[in-house]
Amino acid sequence: MDIKQQSTRYDLGYRLLHWVMAFLFVLMLLAGQGFASATTEADRLVMLTGHSSIGSLVIILLLIRLTKRFVIRSPRPVHPLPSAQRAAALTMQYALYLCMIAIPVTGILTAQQHELAVNVFGTFNLSNASVDGYSESTFMSMRSLHESAVSSFKLLLIGHIGAALFHGFVKKDGVLRSMWFKRNKKQRQADVQKRRAL
């Protein structure tokens, strides 16, 4: 059997994608809060540019992550969890993936209906309002979908973080460390033993 399939940790690609995307999603959530404090059109344009640019990076990384997970099927560690916990973890993962897809898709749809220019990286305007005309009802519908996806993601994120902390500090079963960059002594020993068993 391939040594990589015996690893107790996710490979470097998975770990980088996980933490970079986590950082960008936090920035996106903070940017969403910043919209409330934007009082002038100039401020709103700046917020829209930043929000859409970060969102575009998220989409690129998400496509790479989905390819790695479902097309290439890069090896992932298998932890000895009870069947109920394994099913719950898998459900949580798929729900998070669904939200990570829904958020940028509804974000693009919202941007297309925005009355202001939504310039990705300050160059490409996503808004079609200047061409098709601005419809407040359509914009509000799209924004409502986007906000619902974000709210769902926040709830799932709380559950995801809670489960990770539970595994890391209560069960101490290596699940949390499998996505971290530094191996502990038990993980190093486990990897050595599995290599010797091959």
Side-chain angles (χ1 to χ4, degrees), residues 40 73 78 89 118 122 162 168:
T40 66
R73 296 181 180 275
V78 178
V118 183

Side-chain angles (χ1 to χ4, degrees), residues 23-45:
F23 174 71
L24 291 177
F25 267 112
V26 169
L27 285 183
M28 293 285 281
L29 294 175
L30 292 176
Q33 298 298 319
F35 279 118
S37 61
T39 56
T40 66
E41 183 173 310
D43 289 340
R44 292 173 66 195
L45 285 170

Side-chain angles (χ1 to χ4, degrees), residues 83-103:
S83 57
Q85 284 189 24
R86 187 179 301 280
L90 192 60
T91 301
M92 174 71 77
Q93 286 178 20
Y94 285 133
L96 283 168
Y97 275 122
L98 183 60
C99 280
M100 285 190 288
I101 294 170
I103 289 173

Side-chain angles (χ1 to χ4, degrees), residues 45 48-50 52-53 116-127:
L45 285 170
L48 285 170
T49 298
S52 61
S53 299
L116 298 177
V118 183
N119 294 311
V120 179
F121 301 113
T123 56
F124 180 70
N125 183 16
L126 290 176
S127 176

Side-chain angles (χ1 to χ4, degrees), residues 183-194:
R183 293 182 300 175
N184 61 9
K185 185 177 180 180
K186 288 184 178 179
Q187 285 177 318
R188 290 195 297 270
Q189 291 175 343
D191 284 344
V192 170
Q193 290 174 355
K194 287 177 178 178

Side-chain angles (χ1 to χ4, degrees), residues 47-68:
M47 293 299 298
L48 285 170
T49 298
H51 192 68
S52 61
S53 299
I54 297 173
S56 297
L57 290 176
V58 168
I59 292 173
I60 294 170
L61 294 178
L62 178 60
L63 290 174
I64 296 172
R65 185 168 181 169
L66 290 172
T67 301
K68 185 173 176 63

